[in-house]
Amino acid sequence: MMKPWIAKAIAYLQNSLSPVPQELNELDWKSNLSPKKDKLCQHLCAFANLPGGGFLVFGLEDKTGKIVGIDKAHADTIVEQLANLCSAGVEPMVNMDHAIELFDDCPLLLVYLKESAVKPVHLAHKSIEDSFIRNGGTTRKASRQDVGALMLNSKTPVFEELHASTLKNSTEVMTLLDIASIHGLLKKPTPTSVEEIIYWLQQEKMIEDVDGKGFYITNFGALAAAHNLSQFDGLARKAVRVIQYEGKTKTQGSKEYPGNKGYAIGFEGLIQFLKGILPGSEVIKHALRSDTSVYPEIALRELIANALIHQDFTIRGSGPMIEIFADRIEISSPGKLLPGKKIDRLIRATPESRNEVLAAAFRRFKICEEQGTGFEKAITAIEFFGLPPLKMEETESSFKVIMYSPKTFAEMTREERIEACYQHSIIQYYGAGGMNNSSLRKRFGMHEKQSSQVSRLIKEAITVGRIKQKDPESSQKFAVYLPYWV
């Protein structure tokens, strides 16, 4: 089967030879390699910086373009030398492919130098000012303006699009990825032919085609749909870990439940598994007329999805972890908050993710939303279930959220009461325009006779700078309170 780029190379060659032989920006023909390695590296840089890449054709006379052909031994020598220069002579490395094709009944060596996503490509061990471009059918050094334009068209490598596997054939791809489950999440029928499935996987950026030689499964493809993440060396430690402890500390007995499925296809199973092992609440079960854990399912879904999507994949050796204690559940993921994000401003924060491909996919899979409402939904459910406020912590290399089992107002610490008051003020600000004594009493499940206790809490929250009165001139009876930052 002919490689897809060959037809384009031959078309460029025909245009360059007729009606008058002339080299193009996209194609340069030669009889042999130049002995000057720097000159060759300049050509490699120029073609890799060219939109769509370019071609070198061997087997034509340098000046006249007369077709003389090439033998296999000569072609092998040229390919070997160019491959070495693509790897060691330029930065970043240039990807190349080659083929020997008949043109006017003469064998020619066609070399395809692919456009680099990261630009500018420059000479190895030198600065980006040692970059080269094609102009007027020749290779020349890039000006500062050219370098700037190349940088603007450069694409920073995205983790999800990098390769998670070695080169695989179509059968191996479909064995490693759970195609049916992904289509189930999208509520679409699974294509019936291998060709359709492979094409769809390419469109979804789950695999990358290598000029007909095979396919690389991308990090996104594996993270979303892998039957077993341990089959991908770089992602084995990114599987979700669930650890259940017997008491309130890690010093007591524990049991780990390993999970190896891709995040998207394994998400629903993970939620159902957690619901099965988490402690239940008879009171809540009776009130809601259904079996449920002490932790609201919507909060579990939103917080776990958040941990999966927003983790920092550059931190090696660690992944998302769910730890279940007798009085709480802790959900942690590698990586600190993104610059500009603050812990006390995460509720209704503008959505922003370091893993955009994964975040967008989770939205399409109906696992989460990209509207910045995840924490708001979690807090609302936590209040409805009568739990203490959600606790958020940031360490040197991770971010953690903690949900505690139910506590009465009397059982909560002063800090928990104030934080609950602050979180409630945010929910009410976006829902009803502001918090008041009555809404806060309802949040804590307290009687109207306890309004004085709630009033004292509101004053404490104002004193420590967590909330403020909307209209300082209004009477305390009808006062409305807002988060401090409004």
Side-chain angles (χ1 to χ4, degrees), residues 163-177:
H163 301 162
S165 72
T166 54
L167 204 61
K168 305 293 182 184
N169 60 39
S170 57
T171 302
E172 290 172 317
V173 166
M174 291 189 292
T175 300
L176 290 167
L177 301 183

Side-chain angles (χ1 to χ4, degrees), residues 409-471:
F409 182 81
E411 292 171 329
M412 291 186 196
T413 66
R414 176 179 179 271
E415 290 73 21
E416 286 176 329
R417 293 172 184 173
I418 291 175
E419 183 61 23
C421 178
Y422 170 66
Q423 292 181 8
H424 181 69
S425 74
I426 299 174
I427 299 301
Q428 290 299 110
Y429 170 66
Y430 286 114
M435 173 190 81
N436 56 33
N437 187 295
S438 176
S439 71
L440 191 56
R441 284 201 319 272
K442 185 177 179 181
R443 184 264 180 261
F444 287 117
M446 298 172 71
H447 193 272
E448 185 177 356
K449 294 179 179 179
Q450 297 173 292
S451 60
S452 59
Q453 288 180 266
V454 173
S455 294
R456 286 195 292 272
L457 173 59
I458 290 173
K459 288 181 180 179
E460 285 187 85
I462 292 174
T463 300
V464 298
R466 301 296 277 165
I467 63 171
K468 65 181 181 181
Q469 191 169 335
K470 183 176 183 180
D471 180 8

